[in-house]
Amino acid sequence: QKEVEQDPGPLSVPEGAIVSLNCTYSNSAFQYFMWYRQYSRKGPELLMYTYSSGNKEDGRFTAQVDKSSKYISLFIRDSQPSDSATYLCARARNSGYALNFGKGTSLLVTP
Amino acid sequence: KAGVTQTPRYLIKTRGQQVTLSCSPISGHRSVSWYQQTPGQGLQFLFEYFSETQRNKGNFPGRFSGRQFSNSRSEMNVSTLELGDSALYLCASSSQGEGYTFGSGTRLTVV
């Protein structure tokens, strides 16, 4: 079983839509959860960083962690064509330790 | 402040050769990690250094090695290159309590 499962997509939505991206993971001994955005031929860019369960909001982005269900979500409100990228979820046992990544979900926001 | 800098950006090597990649972390970040990204396997953890000590190591053969200097700059080395080593190699740095910030990567092609 893969440690972090993520639907590869592609996911195509119209501009202005609310986007929901999800990951599931095995082994609950992880405390730190992150979402990264990666444009083609670039390195991943940190979007959200959360500790344990709960929600975190930053502008149009909301990250949600449900440790009881082992489920991580990223919501993007008012999606823009510039949001078109691959979104990667990641987890770590502890701050500064190795990240386990999902394979990424490709998102396309059409004007 | 300056981001994570990786050099070179692109590299072409022949099978059997060795290669050294360089990473300069964000000023003040003492943790540096290396990841390999391929279309098939996604992002996979290679190793992580903190204050010149390797703290974690991923599941890669001994041909992959790294080190960190007293100024937190890091290098990774791959010896006896194989075609399957062709990938984007990403370096990330972190400060305690923060997520990892990635560089743009070095794209290595082995021919």
Side-chain angles (χ1 to χ4, degrees):
Chain A
Q1 182 187 10
K2 294 290 288 183
E3 293 181 344
V4 182
E5 298 273 8
Q6 191 174 5
D7 187 333
L11 178 63
S12 182
V13 300
E15 183 175 355
I18 296 174
V19 176
S20 173
L21 303 167
N22 305 294
C23 286
T24 58
Y25 64 95
S26 59
N27 191 338
S28 56
F30 286 78
Q31 302 290 339
Y32 294 86
F33 301 91
M34 283 144 272
W35 282 96
Y36 285 85
R37 175 174 64 193
Q38 187 173 25
Y39 293 111
S40 181
R41 311 194 81 78
K42 298 283 189 183
E45 170 195 7
L46 180 65
L47 283 177
M48 301 291 282
Y49 175 74
T50 56
Y51 171 75
S52 196
S53 283
N55 293 359
K56 186 173 182 179
E57 188 173 321
D58 184 1
R60 297 185 295 111
F61 298 92
T62 299
Q64 199 171 72
V65 176
D66 184 344
K67 289 191 73 177
S68 60
S69 304
K70 300 188 182 67
Y71 206 76
I72 317 165
S73 300
L74 179 71
F75 300 96
I76 306 175
R77 290 182 298 281
D78 187 26
S79 57
Q80 304 295 308
S82 59
D83 294 329
S84 299
T86 296
Y87 289 79
L88 299 145
C89 61
R91 63 173 190 177
R93 288 181 187 274
N94 210 336
S95 175
Y97 277 58
L99 296 174
N100 294 145
F101 279 90
K103 289 277 188 78
T105 298
S106 177
L107 171 67
L108 177 64
V109 182
T110 55
Chain B
K1 65 185 175 184
V4 178
T5 304
Q6 289 188 248
T7 56
R9 289 295 312 277
Y10 301 93
L11 208 48
I12 299 176
K13 289 287 188 178
T14 304
R15 268 183 304 174
Q17 286 187 313
Q18 76 163 17
V19 66
T20 299
L21 311 181
S22 180
C23 172
S24 293
I26 290 173
S27 178
H29 286 191
R30 294 163 64 189
S31 172
V32 174
S33 295
W34 288 89
Y35 291 80
Q36 181 195 64
Q37 187 174 31
T38 58
Q41 298 299 318
L43 270 152
Q44 292 187 287
F45 171 73
L46 281 156
F47 26 68
E48 187 246 351
Y49 288 88
F50 183 84
S51 292
E52 301 180 68
T53 300
Q54 187 180 87
R55 200 163 56 170
N56 288 286
K57 189 177 190 307
N59 191 26
F60 277 81
R63 301 185 296 108
F64 291 82
S65 63
R67 59 178 175 167
Q68 186 181 33
F69 303 96
S70 58
N71 61 359
S72 293
R73 193 178 69 86
S74 178
E75 289 181 348
M76 70 163 278
N77 184 278
V78 188
S79 62
T80 319
L81 284 165
E82 301 176 359
L83 294 179
D85 296 333
S86 295
L88 180 66
Y89 289 89
L90 291 157
C91 168
S93 73
S94 171
S95 183
Q96 185 70 23
E98 300 177 6
Y100 277 103
T101 300
F102 282 83
S104 293
T106 294
R107 186 162 296 280
L108 172 66
T109 302
V110 182
V111 298

